[in-house]
Amino acid sequence: MEKKPFTFETKRSRIVFGNGCRHQIADELVACGLSRALVLSTSNQIEQAEEISNILGPSAIGTFSLAAMHTPVEVTKQAIKVFDEAHADCIVAIGGGSTTGLGKAIAFRKNTPQFVLPTTYAGSEVTSILGQTENGIKKTVKDPSILPEVVIYDPELTCELPVGMSVSSGLNAMAHAVEALYAQDRNPISSMMAVEGIRALKEALLKIVEAPDDLEARGTALYGAWLCGTVLGAVGMAFHHKLCHTLGGSFDLPHAETHAILLPHTAAYNQTVAKHVLAPATALFGGDLGRGLFELSRRLAAPQKLTDIGFGHSMINRASDIAMQNAYWNPRKVTQKGVMAVLTNATDGNPPCSS
Ligand code: NAD
């Protein structure tokens, strides 16, 4: 174990995990003294929202199914109008990071309790971070009111997540854990959770690509996603997340896929300098973390080129300028040359380079 001094805080989320546990949602509301839930989803998950409303029975007083990527403030305002008119007393969000984001945006403004049923591996449900977009600019806020009170992880809800999305979302989760291992404010618990999260997701994703409805593998993946999300909420992120934020915010690239493509390259960038703290994860990938992650993403048929998701060579200069604008901590100094090398390799789908 590292002998480094540390601080460790426990947060207030209650986690309920297990196949079929979505059926406990009504009891969870009762236990919190709540009885008027507004159910949130995207327009793609209306059926799942209806199922949850049916389980809630009279405790579901309405649905709002317009959650969208990057949490646009206009959508939040519409949802708050519905929430107020229905005299709702809590939020039940079923979906991925976009739906969770809408619930958080409402909670941030109205300090209302949130119950989240995650259906992807993004991990937003266990962080007190909200990213929201107004006039084309995405800003991040962190506040205790944003952290959901109850998270209900039911692997059955993830069985219909398409394989491609499952893979990208799982690699997105692993990226939280890789960065948590070298975080400045890491602690022994966050590092333990990070390694276990990476291990679980690696094992599960390889099974899910073969059999998408393998419920045991879905459970293992969701367990890994919970661990990876928890460390995202607990410690600071670095180069990888900053670069993904730049590509998502300024070039409108899709969230999970951007993380999936960049992870082998950013891990390789940091792996020599952070060798000691990355060692338990490196051991899971045959002794070379960047190359091992690249090989895993190939086996999972994950996207490997930024050109496949709308980014081209002509954008590299601007992206690296933006990524260099605000200084942030990273175990290895982030240089313009380094950012450009990472982006060039990721644009072309080349193997990662750690020099
Ligand atoms: P998403 O929530 O946008 O989902 C992508 C699409 O997949 C949506 O149409 C959704 O309805 C659909 N979908 C989700 N689960 C499904 C299922 N089980 N079956 C069928 N369809 C399903 O994608 P995401 O990657 O989970 O979330 C991305 C968003 O979350 C981004 O805006 C990102 O910034 C945010 N995020 C925030 C944090 C945080 O801590 N604040 C962490 C991670 C991600």
Side-chain angles (χ1 to χ4, degrees):
M1 196 202 93
E2 279 187 275
K3 297 285 187 296
K4 190 177 161 290
F6 62 88
T7 54
F8 173 70
E9 260 180 63
T10 44
K11 299 273 165 51
R12 64 194 161 101
S13 288
R14 171 176 159 82
I15 307 296
V16 180
F17 196 108
N19 291 329
C21 70
R22 65 189 179 284
H23 293 283
Q24 295 172 32
I25 180 76
D27 293 342
E28 291 294 328
L29 255 72
V30 171
C32 296
L34 298 163
S35 59
R36 300 182 63 78
L38 178 66
V39 179
L40 307 178
S41 76
T42 65
S43 56
N44 288 332
Q45 290 181 277
I46 290 178
E47 271 182 32
Q48 284 182 313
E50 275 170 4
E51 193 208 351
I52 296 304
S53 295
N54 290 336
I55 295 170
L56 282 165
S59 297
I61 48 84
T63 53
F64 182 89
S65 296
L66 295 176
M69 186 82 92
H70 306 311
T71 322
V73 170
E74 318 82 80
V75 175
T76 302
K77 286 180 183 161
Q78 283 179 50
I80 288 180
K81 192 161 178 280
V82 176
F83 183 92
D84 286 341
E85 284 171 2
H87 302 290
D89 62 11
C90 64
I91 291 297
V92 170
I94 169 146
S98 296
T99 307
T100 305
L102 175 60
K104 287 171 152 186
I106 298 171
F108 181 51
R109 289 163 178 81
K110 303 210 54 99
N111 204 20
T112 186
Q114 302 167 72
F115 299 76
V116 182
L117 298 110
T119 64
T120 70
Y121 308 130
S124 176
E125 64 282 351
V126 278
T127 81
S128 49
I129 308 159
L130 163 66
Q132 47 185 353
T133 315
E134 189 162 27
N135 303 323
I137 296 171
K138 188 165 179 177
K139 288 192 182 152
T140 302
V141 276
K142 196 168 181 182
D143 189 86
S145 66
I146 292 169
L147 183 73
E149 279 72 8
V150 179
V151 183
I152 297 184
Y153 284 109
D154 184 343
E156 289 172 7
L157 292 174
T158 62
C159 283
E160 284 176 24
L161 185 65
V163 170
M165 182 69 197
S166 301
V167 164
S168 297
S169 191
L171 292 169
N172 176 194
M174 274 194 201
H176 309 327
V178 169
E179 292 232 292
L181 284 173
Y182 50 62
Q184 243 182 331
D185 55 350
R186 65 185 178 272
N187 60 64
I189 301 292
S190 64
S191 297
M192 236 159 54
M193 288 177 133
V195 175
E196 174 63 357
I198 294 168
R199 186 208 60 75
L201 276 161
K202 177 175 180 259
E203 175 196 308
L205 292 178
L206 287 164
K207 291 182 181 163
I208 287 169
V209 291
E210 297 297 327
D213 55 1
D214 177 340
L215 193 53
E216 201 181 319
R218 288 290 185 178
T220 305
L222 200 57
Y223 159 72
W226 164 50
L227 295 172
C228 294
T230 302
V231 296
L232 168 69
V235 300
M237 297 289 111
F239 180 41
H240 173 85
H241 280 74
K242 300 290 175 189
L243 196 53
C244 289
H245 192 87
T246 300
L247 297 189
S250 304
F251 297 87
D252 204 25
L253 299 196
H255 178 83
E257 291 82 351
T258 305
H259 276 269
I261 295 169
L262 283 179
L263 177 61
H265 302 278
T266 52
Y269 186 81
N270 283 324
Q271 71 185 23
T272 307
V273 170
K275 189 174 174 193
H276 176 60
V277 287
L278 286 172
T282 305
L284 296 171
F285 288 90
D288 184 327
L289 185 59
R291 291 269 173 154
L293 283 163
F294 190 72
E295 174 58 17
L296 175 68
S297 92
R298 192 194 58 73
R299 285 176 68 191
L300 296 171
Q304 290 198 304
K305 293 180 183 175
L306 289 174
T307 47
D308 291 343
I309 58 166
F311 187 85
H313 279 275
S314 61
M315 302 169 184
I316 291 177
N317 278 340
R318 200 175 130 239
S320 53
D321 284 347
I322 299 171
M324 290 299 295
Q325 268 168 14
N326 298 315
Y328 49 84
W329 186 85
N330 187 63
R332 177 176 168 191
K333 189 174 172 7
V334 177
T335 61
Q336 181 101 14
K337 193 172 156 222
V339 178
M340 289 183 69
V342 162
L343 285 175
T344 304
N345 281 332
T347 301
D348 293 338
N350 294 333
C353 173
S354 56
S355 59

